[in-house]
Each structure stands twice: as structure tokens, then as C-alpha cells.
Amino acid sequence: MSGVSLQRLVKAYGAVQVVHGIDLEVQEKEFVVLVGPSGCGKSTTLRMIAGLEEISDGDLTIDGRLVNRVAPKDRDVAMVFQNYALYPHLDVAENIAFGLRIRKESKDVIASSVQEVGEILGLTPYLERRPADLSGGQRQRVAMGRAIVRRPKVFLFDEPLSNLDAKLRTQMRAEIKRLHKRLGVTSIYVTHDQVEAMTLADRIVVMHDGRIEQVGTPMELFLNPVNTFVAGFLGSPPMNMVKARIGSGDTGPVAEFDGNKLPLAQLPSLQNAVGKDVILGIRPEFVTVSRTKDDGAIPVDVDLIETLGSEALIHGSLQKEPFVIRTETVGQMDVLDGISGFKIKPDLIRVFDAETGSALPDQVTVQ
Ligand SMILES: Nc1ncnc2c1ncn2[C@@H]1O[C@H](COP(=O)(O)OP(=O)(O)O)[C@@H](O)[C@H]1O
Ligand SMILES: [Mg+2]
């Protein structure tokens, strides 16, 4: 059971607390991604798990063992950083073997381990090269090789792909995912990039200001964010946020804004909250476009169309706030210009309390 358990984990630098008591259970073999804006405490949390930062309060267990006071080298974890810091004077094989040498493994064990890791990572042809003679992606692979060769219970990654260009990043992302499928080692991965989080994670942990906002599978968080922070953080372009007030319609509660009335039949309890201020979360990809103004569609002032190939982003504004619609281009290139609004199924609208930003209870779960 190489799970990792964080219980009320706190980090304070002097009087300043930066991680405020977080709880998280990472299951054996799980790939968990900590994501959030810069400065929210991701690296600090990861470094506490690695043993590189002292834990101010709370408990950390790895594989069922309390490790708060266990030295990094005895925690059986391996960390891969953004700055992979290879030894420039050693070749690839020696870089990979470095940790095993320190542990005084036998020559045979080292040779076969390096061979195996080289094959896993596609580095066999480069084992005798120095880091300076490798591409960025190859260097990052060597850094991963150094982590893998130790056969740790847990891999910890801190923004390992941030130094790579966009194309290489996408490629390495897929390699890390394949590697995880193959080796099945429990992994905790830190990134500020929501696309990396969505594509890599079994479960995503969204952090904000030293706290956890929500934990769930990528699709759970994308479809059913618990608050406006998560709603705005995951998804590209992000969820549109529209200020509205609850009103009473013929068939149940409605959201009123700018003379529009959007039915909210999925939230009958709102019938008792007429006059309440809410924020409607509307995903750019969940709307259907409309080209007329009189079929009950919500009008949008369109000012820019970006065609990205298979799809287009229609930029406009609603209540003077930006509003984006994402739509397919194939078969409708000639009519994109005429888009003047949208319709959406009530179930796909997320409704948040305007005061607290929290999702209102009793919403239909989107699947
Ligand atoms: N050694 C330190 N002393 C004081 N504050 C620190 C130190 N290291 C990090 N912090 C603060 O802790 C917060 C979280 O930092 P960090 O975990 O690096 O964020 P992230 O990795 O999410 O970008 C930030 O506000 C940062 O300024
Ligand atoms: Mg960081």
C-alpha cells in the first residue's frame, strides 16, 4: 500500500502560514495532480511530502508509516524538478546510475538497471552522451531516469515540463502518462497548467491560497465545479460567468439579466429565493449557437471570431462582460459571421451564490 496521506498538513514560515491544514488521501498507484495559480502552495506541499521542507503541523504518512521526521532519503520517494540539474561532466548512463552508486549497489545491478531504464525511456542510443549534447526533452528524460532507477514507492514531480517548448511538452506529457501506466507507481504531480492537470490526472486537486478548493476526477471538476474559482480555473477558454437574479417564471424559477429570462427548472428550490443574486456558469462548449434574435436565444454582442481549424471561438460580450462561445467550423464556415446569440439546456448551467461563489446545492450532476 504505497499511498500517501496528508492530515491537516500545515506550513508556516515564521508567523506567515502558507499551507493551511490540508487533507488528502492519495491511493496506491494513483496519479494525482496538484494544480493552482502561482504562489498557492503547491511546491511547498510537495516539498513537505519529499522531506525537503519541515512540516509545521499535521501528519504525513507514506505507505502507512508516519514520516514527519524521516529524512528525505529514507522516505522512498523520488522527485523530478523543472530544473533537472544533471551532472554536466557525467554521461547519461552515469547520471542515471548516480543514486545507485551512492547506495553502493553492485556493478552488475547498476549496469542492468541503467540498461532497463534506458530502454523504458528511449535513451539507449544516448547513454554515452553528455547532457550538453542532448535536446531539452532528452535531458528531461534523463532526469526521469534518475528517479525511476531507484524504484521508489512514490514519484513527485514539480512542474517538470515547464522549461520545454509547447510541442515537446505535449509529447513528454504523453510519455509521462504512458510511463505511469507501465510502472504503476503512485505519483503526485504539481503544475499551474490546467491542460496538464486535465490530461495527466486520475484525480485533480485544485489549490488556492494554501487551501484545497476541490478534489475529483478531471471530468467531475470540469462539469461540476464546487465554486467559481474552480469553474474559472479549469477549461480553456474558461467558463463564462454571468451575473443574474432569481425570478419567478411560469414553470419554475428563472435567472433574469438584461431583460432575459433563462429557465432554471433544475433547481426548483430556487422558487423560494426570488431576488437572490447568483452567477451563472456557462461553458463555452455547452451552448448551441443561434442566428436569429427571436427564438428565445440569449443575444451576445459578437466582436471577434477566431477560427482554429476544426472549431471557432466566437468572442463577444454579455452585460458588458466578455462571453465566449466555442463551436465547430466544419459545414458552417459561411454562417459563423451571422451568430448573434446562444441557447443552453438548463441542466448544463451551473448556478453559484454571487456572495460566496459556492455552487448552490441540489443542482443536477452533469455527466
Ligand atoms: N522560504 C520561504 N519563506 C517565506 N515564504 C515562502 C518561502 N517559500 C515559499 N514561500 C511562500 O509560500 C507561498 C507558496 O509558495 P509555493 O509553494 O512555492 O507556491 P506554488 O508552488 O504554488 O507556486 C508563496 O506565497 C511563497 O511566497
Ligand atoms: Mg511551485
Side-chain angles (χ1 to χ4, degrees), residues 264-298:
L264 293 178
Q266 81 276 25
L267 276 168
S269 58
L270 282 181
Q271 198 66 278
N272 307 318
V274 171
K276 184 179 180 57
D277 288 325
V278 294
I279 292 170
L280 307 177
I282 299 176
R283 286 259 175 231
E285 35 296 88
F286 287 179
V287 303
T288 47
V289 293
S290 165
R291 293 178 188 86
T292 62
K293 295 207 191 281
D294 52 15
D295 62 350
I298 307 293

Side-chain angles (χ1 to χ4, degrees), residues 13 16 18-19 36-45 53 158-159 190:
Y13 292 105
V16 183
V18 296
V19 174
S38 180
C40 72
K42 307 178 296 292
S43 293
T44 306
T45 303
E53 290 283 353
D158 193 352
E159 312 247 8
V190 160

Side-chain angles (χ1 to χ4, degrees), residues 4 6 22-27 30-37 40-42 45 49 187-194 197-198 201-208 210-218 220-221 229-230 233-234:
V4 178
L6 285 59
I22 61 180
D23 292 303
L24 181 66
E25 296 292 329
V26 178
Q27 307 300 323
E30 199 177 17
F31 200 114
V32 165
V33 176
L34 309 184
V35 69
C40 72
K42 307 178 296 292
T45 303
I49 298 171
S187 300
I188 307 178
Y189 186 106
V190 160
T191 180
H192 65 277
D193 179 352
Q194 56 97 17
M198 291 293 289
D202 292 323
R203 282 190 306 154
I204 293 178
V205 178
V206 178
M207 291 184 67
H208 179 211
R211 293 194 168 78
I212 291 178
E213 296 281 350
Q214 189 171 7
V215 181
T217 65
E220 278 166 5
L221 269 54
F229 182 83
V230 177
F233 195 79
L234 296 179

Side-chain angles (χ1 to χ4, degrees), residues 97-275:
F98 195 83
L100 300 181
R101 287 239 161 79
I102 301 262
R103 287 209 307 223
K104 306 222 184 318
E105 298 285 356
S106 74
K107 267 207 167 115
D108 287 351
V109 168
I110 292 177
S112 66
S113 302
V114 168
Q115 206 61 39
E116 190 191 348
V117 167
E119 268 160 39
I120 290 174
L121 291 168
L123 287 170
T124 309
Y126 313 106
L127 288 175
E128 282 159 27
R129 281 203 202 170
R130 297 267 172 99
D133 303 324
L134 299 173
S135 70
Q138 288 164 343
R139 274 180 231 159
Q140 189 54 276
R141 254 178 251 151
V142 178
M144 281 198 274
R146 287 205 307 204
I148 294 170
V149 79
R150 293 170 46 197
R151 304 225 161 261
K153 286 200 182 110
V154 182
F155 283 136
L156 304 173
F157 299 90
D158 193 352
E159 312 247 8
L161 307 183
S162 296
N163 281 351
L164 307 179
D165 66 50
K167 192 170 167 205
L168 200 51
R169 213 156 53 216
T170 314
Q171 202 182 322
M172 289 298 291
R173 199 172 73 202
E175 283 189 26
I176 290 178
K177 185 85 180 168
R178 282 196 199 98
L179 198 61
H180 179 254
K181 276 193 170 168
R182 175 164 177 180
L183 303 177
V185 177
T186 310
S187 300
I188 307 178
Y189 186 106
V190 160
T191 180
H192 65 277
D193 179 352
Q194 56 97 17
V195 178
E196 254 171 52
M198 291 293 289
T199 49
L200 280 171
D202 292 323
R203 282 190 306 154
I204 293 178
V205 178
V206 178
M207 291 184 67
H208 179 211
D209 283 347
R211 293 194 168 78
I212 291 178
E213 296 281 350
Q214 189 171 7
V215 181
T217 65
M219 286 311 282
E220 278 166 5
L221 269 54
F222 180 77
L223 297 172
N224 302 292
V226 295
N227 56 36
T228 48
F229 182 83
V230 177
F233 195 79
L234 296 179
S236 170
M239 195 180 247
N240 296 295
M241 306 275 179
V242 180
K243 291 191 193 107
R245 182 163 287 179
I246 300 302
S248 181
D250 299 338
T251 56
V254 293
E256 296 177 342
F257 57 96
D258 261 4
N260 298 296
K261 283 184 200 277
L262 255 181
L264 293 178
Q266 81 276 25
L267 276 168
S269 58
L270 282 181
Q271 198 66 278
N272 307 318
V274 171

Side-chain angles (χ1 to χ4, degrees), residues 317-349:
S317 59
L318 187 57
Q319 291 180 299
K320 303 197 174 65
E321 299 285 341
F323 194 95
V324 180
I325 295 169
R326 188 174 194 160
T327 186
E328 289 184 4
T329 51
V330 176
Q332 55 172 9
M333 277 308 287
D334 50 337
V335 293
L336 281 181
D337 274 340
I339 289 172
S340 63
F342 69 89
K343 287 184 165 186
I344 182 165
K345 279 199 211 142
D347 285 6
L348 294 175
I349 302 173

